[in-house]
Amino acid sequence: MDVGSVTAVSVAVVGVVGTLLSALLTQRAADRSRQRERERAELARERRGELLDVRSCYVALNTATRQYLAALTDQVHALRRDGSGQVRQRLTDARDQHRDVYAEAQLRVPDPVLDLAGQLSRELGAVYGMVKRLDAGAPREGDSVTGAQERIDVLWHLLREMRRRMRAELGVPATAGGREAALPPRAGQRETERGAGTPGTSGTRRGRDGREW
């Protein structure tokens, strides 16, 4: 075989090898791109799942806290009417439900929300103790129905602050002036809140300034 033939064969071989290597590199690049896309999609699914879990925890914590506060308010009203066994039981149930929900929140929610939830939990427990002592006719110094109601009013405001923090963590924008944007009620929410109070009351409260919480 002469030199020209050898050269032609060598060029052909190099061309074939180059084509094969190019195809292989292209395939590997495509495989890596698909792998990255799969990883990004999996990460996005995980984040969506985590966000849904946190949102569910927020909803449960907000609902349990509202019901606890509603039951405390109803018990204070009942004290002015010489008490009611049904109200007492609802308060106990609301306290127990909030305790369970808060325990789960301690493992799920971020610190900014958990700090407010912890403050609410401590203050709710303090007001609960005061209300129970008043109901039992064994008040301590400083215990009073008026004092209990004033502390409950403060806690409704603190709940609003916790709810704003929850919405911020979820990326829900506030409306102009910092007020919470209206959201449609979840299924059964209206009935749940309506049933949280005694006749003439509800899960929604109004302060002395007439604003709803």
Side-chain angles (χ1 to χ4, degrees), residues 115-199:
D115 289 344
L116 287 170
Q119 183 181 351
L120 266 166
S121 181
R122 290 188 295 273
E123 290 298 321
L124 283 165
V127 176
Y128 176 85
M130 180 189 294
V131 169
K132 294 298 286 186
R133 290 191 298 271
L134 291 168
D135 188 36
R140 296 177 183 174
E141 182 178 357
D143 289 350
S144 69
V145 172
T146 300
Q149 185 60 63
E150 289 175 350
R151 294 180 72 171
I152 289 170
D153 290 343
V154 172
L155 290 179
W156 280 110
H157 285 290
L158 187 57
L159 173 58
R160 287 189 65 190
E161 176 59 29
M162 184 178 73
R163 192 161 55 238
R164 280 195 293 268
R165 187 64 60 84
M166 289 175 175
R167 294 168 66 88
E169 292 289 335
L170 293 174
V172 179
T175 59
R179 298 291 300 277
E180 297 173 2
L183 292 177
R186 294 171 63 86
Q189 180 176 345
R190 289 179 178 173
E191 291 302 322
T192 298
E193 293 182 356
R194 186 178 297 116
T198 57

Side-chain angles (χ1 to χ4, degrees), residues 16-73:
V16 170
V17 171
T19 300
L20 292 175
L21 286 175
S22 177
L24 179 60
L25 291 174
T26 300
Q27 181 63 40
R28 287 184 175 179
D31 290 343
R32 286 195 295 269
S33 179
R34 285 192 291 270
Q35 179 63 27
R36 286 194 294 270
E37 286 297 326
R38 285 194 293 269
E39 291 173 353
R40 282 195 289 268
E42 180 62 27
L43 181 60
R45 283 193 294 271
E46 290 177 358
R47 287 176 176 172
R48 284 196 298 271
E50 291 171 357
L51 185 62
L52 288 174
D53 286 344
V54 171
R55 183 184 184 278
S56 296
C57 190
Y58 283 170
V59 171
L61 183 58
N62 178 59
T63 300
T65 305
R66 285 176 62 87
Q67 291 177 343
Y68 195 176
L69 277 168
L72 280 169
T73 302

